[in-house]
Amino acid sequence: MTTTQPKAEVKEFEPNIIGFLCNWCSYAGADLAGTSRIQYSPNIKIIKVMCSGRVNPMFVVNALQQGADGVLIGGCHPGDCHYQHGNYLARRRIGVLKKVLEFMGIDERRVRMTWVSAAEGRKFAEVIEEITDDIRKLGPLKQLKRVNEW
Amino acid sequence: MKIGVYVCECGINIAATVDVPEVVEKVKSFPNVEICRYNKYTCSDPGQESIRKDIKELNLDRVVVASCSPRMHEPTFRAVVEETGINPYCFEMVNIREHVSWVHKDKEKATEKAVALIAGAVARAQFLEPLERKEVSVIPKSLVVGGGIAGIQAALEIATDGFQVYLVEQSPSLGGRMAQLDKTFPTLDCSACILTPKMVDVARHPNIELLTYSEIEKVDGYIGNFKVTVKKKPRYVDTDKCVGCGLCAEACRLKGRVLNEFDENLSKRSAIYIPFPQAVPLKYTIDSNRCNMLRFGKCGDELLCVEACEQNAIDFEQKEEFVELDVGTIVVATGYDNFDPSNEPKYGYKENPNVITGMEFERLVNAAGPTEGHLEINGKEPENVVFIQCVGSRDKEGHEYCSRVCCMYTAKQAHMVRDKFPDAIISVYFTDVRAFGKGFEEFYNRVLDEDINYLRRELDDSIEVVGNEKGVIVKAEGHPDIHADLVVLATGLVPKSDNKEIARKLNISLSGDGFFMEAHPKLRPLDTFTDGVFLAGCCQSPKDIPDAVAQASGAAVRAASPLAQGKVVVEAITAIIDEDLCSGCRICENLCAYTALEFVSDDKIMKINDVLCKGCGSCAAACPTGAITMKHYSNKQVLAQIGGILNQ
Ligand SMILES: Cc1cc2nc3c(=O)[nH]c(=O)nc-3n(C[C@H](O)[C@H](O)[C@H](O)COP(=O)(O)OP(=O)(O)OC[C@H]3O[C@@H](n4cnc5c(N)ncnc54)[C@H](O)[C@@H]3O)c2cc1C
């Protein structure tokens, strides 16, 4: 039972990750990573929403169905939401969704909620590295390859 | 559907990491893409012109620009398409600079990612819909929070433009930190002499309503129509009656027993007080934490202050009051705190009376200060004075930034010591002298010529201040010990401890350093991310008085301009409800932080008040029947974008 064999295999896999970022904090944090030239893995593709509270769990499921191997949802820190409590709503919804995904046999680490402020360019890059790494280890998502007509 | 896609090279900012011609080749084949071009700078005149020309000649109905962050140029391109007859919401921007070329090095992967992001935008563009932006009227009044030099300047400017200003100051008087300073670098003007006339101007200005000893409690609304609740703390003195004579303070049983924060606690005052003689308004305040009557309901056998007051101004029954202000714009000018060296690094501060901070020095040399301007420690004039720079600044573990004023205020203070004591030995431990402003280098050179020893040390070199019977010994790595009788710590400027709370109330952000964050560090240094809220002075970052004043004048212009226009355009992004689909379940109702959703009991459906709706989309994400559509972020639009990115 050596672990070296599968590891080498996993390395070749580059996950496709969708990131939903709120306009006010996380998206701005990602911009700051850019202006500060902080490097991170290119696997993440960002979609801007006004608030993390806009992220319908169906968006996440749909992304997974359409071929994403993981999804990140970024909002303002608790208490700092531009819309007062949209981030709390997101946290709850994503929490529930993770449970449902687990139930369906999908590793809950594929979906991650994070807080990044407009000042946290470095943290943003770190979060991206972490999620990319996690999902790289989990490998491609196979269960959900059905393109949804919505 | 005809979509035009414009990919920007941004000089080499994008082109160095993204193969732009290859991106264009791929994008050309995407469905509905009528034309795809690249420009060296899409935001430049020729770049914009190429978009206008294509819109007209090719009858484009959607435009996608892949360039920098939408925070940077979305307004620019929205204006371009709008001028040419396309609704600004039928424009989509892709961020391939901040989110691609600047954060990835691998050209192949960066190029792939750029193509995927554009594919998402093109897919989304097909579902974009024209939206109408609302125009709302602007209440022609402004609120300035903080009455230091920056707030004073901003208030005077806006008021002089002809608009009503409310100036809210939390302490009993205007003036801020500048009122505590003695002389000001680099010209050595007396601080009070240049500040107090402005304070008086504020009090007298017919367009300024001054609310001192008051705080912001709550802020609602949006640009043009903010509703601000201000808490007026009780002074326990009727300001209409108080004439500022001071008989009460003379009479106060606690006279000379209450620490005077204005003097950095180096002197003592009464429980009823004015912070300093030129206070504006010149009205007394009772310190509720110290007054016997307010603490214990009793003060000896008689209330000495009440007896002394000939105006009958003292009123122990006063309660806090809440006032509601309606304003169109807000300027935040809440200033800074001084770094407290009783936290590390302390350099013997508080343990040794010979060690003081820069601000304490200012009070000690001030003619109105605790020693009437005689610089002495324990009644003795100093003979050997050491200044230590960068205390609490440029510290990677603490405050990493440079506080910008300490080098110059140290030079000023060294000069003042020399002025008073021609024979004193004066040394300055510095790392880099930052004399960047107008007249600063000249001033520094002048001080160098006054027989002041500037001794260089590295920031990481150890420096210790240890007490001995005569005073202290300053032990700096690589330098001989100095036996000093006065050590002045050039303490830095730090964010106010309640910045986070204020930021939440005003819905603005903090930078990593804890000061308020500007909307763009270079191009929008006075704006915040919240429209209608502007920044002035040290609340945004440490700065000297000239910079604070310049920034305040700028913020005043920014804050006055919507008032002058009388109208502002607000975002069109709101939610709408499909009445046929709404089941009246009311799940959305409680999710809305702005009470924009209302249940219509007759029809058993929800209704949206789109003036209140701020467009977060929390309701749309929750609606079980899909009756709520978030404009510009509809399910269709978002799902198309996901599909575009992933199926590319
Ligand atoms: C030791 C020392 C020496 C200095 N010497 C010089 C010098 O010689 N020359 C020079 O150019 N600069 C000097 N400076 C810098 C100078 O003090 C600042 O540039 C200036 O005071 C900044 O003004 P401000 O209005 O931004 O802030 P502040 O002076 O801090 O004023 C802020 C005001 O807002 C009020 N406030 C805060 N929070 C609230 C709230 N929530 N609600 C209502 N009101 C609030 C405060 O009570 C205060 O009145 C010196 C600084 C120090 C520490």
Side-chain angles (χ1 to χ4, degrees):
Chain A
M1 277 282 255
T2 56
T3 47
T4 33
Q5 198 54 28
K7 238 190 198 165
E9 237 168 60
V10 171
K11 258 210 176 132
E12 280 163 22
F13 163 66
E14 282 303 333
N16 217 344
I17 304 167
I18 292 284
F20 295 100
L21 303 187
C22 80
N23 180 55
W24 305 95
C25 297
S26 302
Y27 194 90
D31 275 4
L32 183 61
T35 41
S36 320
R37 313 294 199 280
I38 302 170
Q39 305 292 305
Y40 55 83
S41 306
N43 308 58
I44 182 99
K45 277 124 208 161
I46 291 164
I47 293 178
K48 186 178 80 166
V49 286
M50 293 311 283
C51 177
S52 56
R54 171 64 191 111
V55 180
N56 190 320
M58 285 310 296
F59 293 175
V60 179
V61 174
N62 192 280
L64 296 175
Q65 285 178 331
Q66 298 208 58
D69 304 293
V71 176
L72 176 76
I73 301 96
C76 305
H77 281 272
D80 290 347
C81 176
H82 191 82
Y83 303 100
Q84 298 186 17
H85 60 218
N87 53 354
Y88 289 122
L89 299 175
R91 176 165 67 182
R92 248 181 278 151
R93 289 174 188 151
I94 298 308
V96 172
L97 175 68
K98 276 155 100 59
K99 291 232 159 76
V100 176
L101 291 176
E102 280 273 61
F103 182 74
M104 291 164 64
I106 295 169
D107 196 299
E108 56 99 25
R109 281 171 296 176
R110 292 191 184 272
V111 176
R112 175 160 172 183
M113 172 105 216
T114 189
W115 320 120
V116 174
S117 83
E120 292 175 329
R122 181 156 304 278
K123 177 172 176 196
F124 177 76
E126 283 165 11
V127 169
I128 299 309
E129 285 305 281
E130 277 170 31
I131 185 169
T132 310
D133 229 42
D134 280 354
I135 295 174
R136 211 178 262 139
K137 284 190 195 123
L138 290 172
L141 173 67
K142 301 201 187 74
Q143 290 100 316
L144 272 174
K145 299 279 186 222
R146 177 174 64 90
V147 178
N148 194 21
E149 300 282 340
W150 218 29
Chain B
M1 177 76 48
K2 291 181 176 177
I3 306 175
V5 182
Y6 301 83
V7 186
C8 184
E9 294 187 306
C10 195
I12 58 161
N13 279 302
I14 292 171
T17 331
V18 172
D19 186 338
V20 174
E22 190 189 316
V23 171
V24 169
E25 266 327 295
K26 294 221 162 111
V27 172
K28 273 184 176 160
S29 65
F30 291 169
N32 296 320
V33 172
E34 183 74 11
I35 179 91
C36 181
R37 299 178 192 279
Y38 65 96
N39 305 85
K40 191 134 219 93
Y41 292 102
T42 312
C43 61
S44 68
D45 260 354
Q48 296 188 15
E49 197 41 48
S50 73
I51 301 177
R52 287 196 196 93
K53 199 160 154 265
D54 286 349
I55 295 177
K56 284 188 217 136
E57 288 178 0
L58 304 172
N59 279 322
L60 301 179
D61 36 27
R62 298 285 183 274
V63 171
V64 173
V65 171
S67 57
C68 50
S69 170
R71 284 171 170 266
M72 184 79 202
H73 273 312
E74 190 172 60
T76 316
F77 294 120
R78 278 186 172 176
V80 170
V81 303
E82 192 166 21
E83 280 159 28
T84 328
I86 294 187
N87 183 284
Y89 290 88
C90 292
F91 164 77
E92 181 65 15
M93 195 148 175
V94 191
N95 187 346
I96 58 167
R97 194 181 70 175
E98 281 83 344
H99 292 187
V100 180
S101 67
W102 279 352
V103 288
H104 307 317
K105 288 226 169 70
D106 182 327
K107 195 160 183 173
E108 197 184 314
K109 286 188 176 152
T111 305
E112 254 172 46
K113 177 167 170 182
V115 171
L117 290 177
I118 297 172
V122 168
R124 167 175 159 83
Q126 327 196 20
F127 296 103
L128 289 176
E129 281 175 21
L131 300 177
E132 283 316 310
R133 271 189 277 199
K134 284 172 295 192
E135 249 186 14
V136 297
S137 60
V138 174
I139 297 164
K141 296 178 184 179
S142 201
L143 164 72
V144 177
V145 188
I149 184 60
I152 289 172
Q153 180 75 13
L156 285 171
E157 299 268 12
I158 301 169
T160 309
D161 283 346
F163 301 106
Q164 163 106 44
V165 181
Y166 299 103
L167 175 50
V168 173
E169 162 61 47
Q170 71 181 6
S171 78
S173 172
L174 288 178
R177 301 282 176 198
M178 190 177 166
Q180 291 181 282
L181 306 181
D182 185 54
K183 300 215 165 29
T184 53
F185 64 74
T187 47
L188 301 177
D189 298 273
C190 139
S191 191
C193 313
I194 55 176
L195 173 67
T196 51
K198 282 191 157 264
M199 291 161 55
V200 175
D201 287 350
V202 167
R204 275 212 305 251
H205 203 294
N207 287 344
I208 301 181
E209 186 173 325
L210 181 56
L211 296 111
T212 46
Y213 213 47
S214 299
E215 282 164 11
I216 303 300
E217 188 72 14
K218 199 168 134 220
V219 181
D220 284 328
Y222 48 92
I223 182 170
N225 298 275
F226 289 108
K227 200 175 258 322
V228 183
T229 312
V230 174
K231 176 164 90 184
K232 291 174 86 175
K233 298 177 278 188
R235 284 180 187 256
Y236 304 104
V237 170
D238 183 337
T239 48
D240 291 335
K241 291 184 184 160
C242 175
V243 292
C245 67
L247 291 173
C248 53
E250 278 302 315
C252 176
R253 209 177 298 277
L254 293 180
K255 184 180 173 209
R257 285 163 63 189
V258 179
L259 285 176
N260 184 350
E261 52 288 270
F262 186 79
D263 275 342
E264 297 290 306
N265 297 339
L266 295 172
S267 71
K268 295 197 171 152
R269 55 168 170 81
S270 301
I272 184 163
Y273 72 107
I274 47 168
F276 53 103
Q278 306 96 320
V280 170
L282 192 62
K283 306 286 177 190
Y284 276 76
T285 304
I286 299 184
D287 182 340
S288 58
N289 291 322
R290 297 308 312 274
C291 167
N292 287 342
M293 182 60 191
L294 289 170
R295 289 172 72 198
F296 313 118
K298 180 169 181 321
C299 179
D301 297 333
E302 51 181 345
L303 299 170
L304 298 175
C305 53
V306 176
E307 296 273 300
C309 181
E310 291 169 354
Q311 310 294 321
N312 261 326
I314 293 171
D315 175 7
F316 285 109
E317 300 303 308
Q318 244 180 34
K319 294 268 147 16
E320 60 186 22
E321 262 178 63
F322 292 89
V323 281
E324 285 225 330
L325 309 176
D326 294 311
V327 296
T329 53
I330 299 175
V331 177
V332 186
T334 49
Y336 66 94
D337 278 341
N338 288 301
F339 175 77
D340 177 2
S342 21
N343 309 317
E344 292 298 318
K346 40 172 107 170
Y347 302 121
Y349 181 72
K350 285 265 157 82
E351 289 156 9
N352 208 302
N354 306 65
V355 182
I356 64 172
T357 67
M359 192 53 96
E360 288 169 358
F361 181 96
E362 296 287 333
R363 296 314 301 150
L364 286 176
V365 291
N366 192 293
T371 53
E372 289 168 348
H374 301 296
L375 180 56
E376 47 191 45
I377 298 292
N378 292 336
K380 197 177 147 289
E381 291 182 348
E383 288 165 7
N384 194 329
V385 183
V386 173
F387 290 88
I388 302 177
Q389 297 250 248
C390 301
V391 177
S393 307
R394 303 183 65 195
D395 172 0
K396 289 197 180 130
E397 260 86 72
H399 302 283
E400 193 176 351
Y401 56 84
C402 162
S403 289
R404 288 175 70 99
V405 296
C406 328
C407 284
M408 293 315 292
Y409 84 57
T410 298
K412 166 185 79 174
Q413 294 178 345
H415 164 84
M416 289 164 80
V417 175
R418 173 58 73 234
D419 201 34
K420 287 179 193 284
F421 309 118
D423 299 327
I425 300 169
I426 306 172
S427 317
V428 178
Y429 279 113
F430 75 103
T431 300
D432 306 282
V433 170
R434 295 185 167 168
F436 49 83
K438 185 166 177 171
F440 288 12
E441 186 72 16
E442 294 89 327
F443 181 72
Y444 167 56
N445 284 334
R446 173 179 160 189
V447 173
L448 278 181
D449 283 341
E450 294 176 346
D451 192 20
I452 287 159
N453 315 315
Y454 266 77
L455 308 170
R456 187 162 196 287
R457 59 179 281 271
E458 292 298 333
L459 281 171
D460 294 337
D461 287 354
S462 78
I463 180 163
E464 256 188 295
V465 181
V466 288
N468 72 355
E469 60 291 348
K470 283 215 271 158
V472 291
I473 307 172
V474 182
K475 295 169 173 292
E477 190 176 333
H479 294 275
D481 292 356
I482 301 179
H483 290 256
D485 42 16
L486 176 62
V487 174
V488 184
L489 306 179
T491 39
L493 279 52
V494 301
K496 286 198 70 79
S497 54
D498 61 353
N499 269 7
K500 196 159 184 125
E501 211 181 300
I502 302 288
R504 282 184 179 175
K505 282 182 188 163
L506 289 161
N507 221 343
I508 60 179
S509 305
L510 297 182
S511 313
D513 56 16
F515 291 96
F516 297 134
M517 188 174 198
E518 60 286 332
H520 189 281
K522 283 150 211 134
L523 301 179
R524 293 177 66 199
L526 313 173
D527 300 9
T528 63
F529 288 142
T530 299
D531 286 344
V533 180
F534 305 95
L535 303 174
C538 290
C539 66
Q540 181 253 345
S541 72
K543 48 179 72 70
D544 54 34
I545 296 163
D547 282 358
V549 169
Q551 197 188 19
S553 293
V557 172
R558 299 287 296 132
S561 110
L563 312 186
Q565 285 164 19
K567 277 185 289 199
V568 282
V569 183
V570 294
E571 262 303 344
I573 303 176
T574 56
I576 42 170
I577 292 193
D578 183 335
E579 297 185 359
D580 292 341
L581 289 180
C582 178
S583 66
C585 70
R586 300 174 78 163
I587 285 175
C588 53
E589 196 175 9
N590 283 327
L591 301 181
C592 182
Y594 308 99
T595 60
L597 286 151
E598 212 185 322
F599 184 66
V600 187
S601 42
D602 287 351
D603 303 337
K604 299 222 170 12
I605 53 164
M606 299 300 296
K607 216 177 70 187
I608 286 187
N609 179 339
D610 65 355
V611 177
L612 294 179
C613 174
K614 299 217 178 180
C616 66
S618 287
C619 56
C623 181
T625 63
I628 304 181
T629 297
M630 208 35 241
K631 291 189 203 160
H632 213 55
Y633 292 93
S634 71
N635 291 349
K636 262 202 191 116
Q637 292 164 348
V638 177
L639 294 176
Q641 189 174 1
I642 299 171
I645 291 173
L646 292 171
N647 298 324
Q648 165 18 57

